Amino acid sequence: MTLKKHLQCMHYNVIQQYDFKGVPAPIVQFHSKIDDILVVECNQKTEKVEPIYPHVMVGLACAVAVLRGANVYAPGVTAIPSGVYIGDRVSVFADILGQCKRGWNSEYQGQKFFVGNGLLVQNRKDLFTVAVPSGLAINMIEPLFDCPSIGDILHEDTIGGIQKGFLQNLPSVLCGHALNLQSHHLILDLCAAPGGKTTHIGCLMKNKGKVIALDKSVAKIKRIQENSTKLGLTNITAFAFDSIKASIEIPENQLRGVDIITVPPIPESPPFHPYSFDRVLLDAPCSALGQRPQLYNPIRLKEVQSFARLQKKLFVAAVQLLKPGGRMVYSTCTYNVSENEEIIDWALGKFPFLRVVSPDIKLGKPGYRVGRLTEEDCIAMQRFGCPASCGSQNENSDAIGFFICCLERIISKSV
């Protein structure tokens, strides 16, 4: 299917979704600079939505999904007052602290946040007397923020069982493009779950070459495999493995920017030989302070400060596995300088054969200048997630908080 046909199908499906709501559908169009992205411009100028009674409580993750356009599904519902029936209008509230007991049958008085109004399509018995409730529970007819349910459209709209697209934030898509991929490349994606960037890399490679994805969690690896299958990708192999231990250990003084005469064999499984990969993506575990929407974050300062140590360990593994002349991308979904620019500053000091390079597509703002970072280094970096107070928003600036830095391993014949 052509990209133009994808656009037409997506636009048609969004219109159908909004016909039910009785309001104009948002515009679906190609991104102005990246031809594999469809942008859905949400209608933010909605009428003010006021809560009504009764109140239905949902989990925090479910509430965040509602703010991103989803309906409420059965597993996310935690409480419905008695006397509420199918077809009734209800208000949906997030259980901010996760303290509402499942099956609670009165109005919950704890800390909560209103996310919109909807129509109940399952009764209490169906939701709370079965071991694993399933299916649509509330059709959100008046969400607090108007956004189409793209996930539902992608799930239902397939060709021969193959999903036509994947829902991602714009900065996440840029990580794959920043790698400057070629179809013959051997790619490593460290800390890869849930696999959005992994599968995008597989698509950019036109289902050729080889993409190896690592994550410690067996359940998350299964999700990567499922997403690969949904998109019809066969060039992705995923392993449940600790990315810190992904490289066969070599003495630190051998980590130099020299030509490797003997090319390592194509890796079968981790741990891998050093210098094995043409491209490495390290989307590092982080404090996630840039995630949007974010109703509540229980993280403490000590935990925020702990991420840099983990990120440095992962960075060492990434550098060990990168071929001379190869490219790696380091990214996070946080605003925190100590997890972003300060990590790059540390890396340039520890690995003098690395250099910051500018990607072909740049949409974010420059990084902050710290330590040994030059002005050119900072211009090559990309920061996303400007608060509303920064001025007008567009398809590039109205994004989650995110950081991207592209680095190359210099080829040098000096030992």
Side-chain angles (χ1 to χ4, degrees), residues 107-168:
E107 292 290 343
Y108 180 64
Q109 301 301 318
Q111 191 171 345
K112 55 188 178 181
F113 184 88
F114 174 62
V115 296
N117 300 321
L119 296 176
L120 191 69
V121 297
Q122 286 197 53
N123 59 35
R124 280 185 52 85
K125 180 180 179 182
D126 294 331
L127 290 167
F128 298 126
T129 61
V130 296
V132 184
S134 62
L136 180 66
I138 301 172
N139 194 342
M140 297 300 299
I141 57 174
E142 291 181 330
L144 185 64
F145 180 85
D146 183 49
C147 181
S149 184
I150 302 299
D152 287 347
I153 292 174
L154 293 174
H155 177 71
E156 296 168 3
D157 195 9
T158 61
I159 298 177
I162 302 301
Q163 191 169 294
K164 296 178 186 176
F166 200 90
L167 185 61
Q168 272 198 300

Side-chain angles (χ1 to χ4, degrees), residues 75 81 110 115 144 191 237 248 262 346 373 380-381:
V115 296
L144 185 64
C191 311
T237 305
I248 294 172
T262 304
W346 163 85
L373 298 181
M381 298 173 188

Side-chain angles (χ1 to χ4, degrees), residues 38-274:
L38 294 181
V39 178
V40 182
E41 294 188 3
C42 300
N43 176 20
Q44 299 182 39
K45 297 179 180 178
T46 54
E47 295 294 326
K48 187 175 181 181
V49 180
E50 298 286 353
I52 57 176
Y53 285 97
H55 295 175
V56 172
M57 300 303 301
V58 300
L60 202 58
C62 177
V64 167
V66 168
L67 291 175
R68 299 188 68 148
N71 288 309
V72 175
Y73 287 85
V77 180
T78 55
I80 299 178
S82 299
V84 183
Y85 303 100
I86 291 175
D88 287 352
R89 290 185 70 211
V90 297
S91 280
V92 178
F93 281 80
D95 175 17
I96 295 296
L97 300 179
Q99 296 177 348
C100 180
K101 293 182 180 179
R102 180 169 175 77
W104 186 254
N105 61 2
S106 301
E107 292 290 343
Y108 180 64
Q109 301 301 318
Q111 191 171 345
K112 55 188 178 181
F113 184 88
F114 174 62
V115 296
N117 300 321
L119 296 176
L120 191 69
V121 297
Q122 286 197 53
N123 59 35
R124 280 185 52 85
K125 180 180 179 182
D126 294 331
L127 290 167
F128 298 126
T129 61
V130 296
V132 184
S134 62
L136 180 66
I138 301 172
N139 194 342
M140 297 300 299
I141 57 174
E142 291 181 330
L144 185 64
F145 180 85
D146 183 49
C147 181
S149 184
I150 302 299
D152 287 347
I153 292 174
L154 293 174
H155 177 71
E156 296 168 3
D157 195 9
T158 61
I159 298 177
I162 302 301
Q163 191 169 294
K164 296 178 186 176
F166 200 90
L167 185 61
Q168 272 198 300
N169 292 298
L170 174 65
S172 298
V173 178
L174 288 177
C175 290
H177 285 283
L179 286 168
N180 190 23
L181 299 163
Q182 304 296 322
S183 60
H184 64 276
H185 279 161
L186 182 60
I187 315 297
L188 176 64
D189 186 357
L190 297 166
C191 311
K197 298 177 187 68
T198 310
T199 52
H200 184 225
I201 290 169
C203 291
L204 290 174
M205 302 269 287
K206 303 185 186 304
N207 211 12
K208 298 178 181 178
K210 188 171 184 179
V211 183
I212 293 178
L214 302 184
D215 199 276
K216 289 174 69 172
S217 167
V218 174
K220 290 180 179 179
I221 286 298
K222 184 179 179 182
R223 190 173 175 188
I224 293 173
Q225 293 167 336
E226 290 171 350
N227 286 331
S228 300
T229 301
K230 285 179 183 178
L231 293 167
L233 295 170
T234 58
N235 62 341
I236 295 172
T237 305
F239 296 98
F241 197 83
D242 184 352
S243 293
I244 292 175
K245 303 174 182 177
S247 175
I248 294 172
E249 195 167 335
I250 60 173
E252 192 166 302
N253 60 9
Q254 291 184 21
L255 272 177
R256 289 176 279 182
V258 299
D259 288 331
I260 305 301
I261 297 174
T262 304
V263 178
I266 296 176
E268 294 296 328
S269 62
F272 306 115
H273 290 282

Side-chain angles (χ1 to χ4, degrees), residues 366-399:
Y368 297 133
R369 192 166 180 180
V370 299
R372 61 180 59 77
L373 298 181
T374 66
E375 185 175 354
E376 286 185 352
D377 291 337
C378 296
I379 291 173
M381 298 173 188
Q382 299 188 75
R383 270 186 165 267
F384 292 87
C386 178
S389 59
C390 290
S392 62
Q393 302 280 314
N394 57 37
E395 63 187 20
N396 299 327
S397 62
D398 188 14

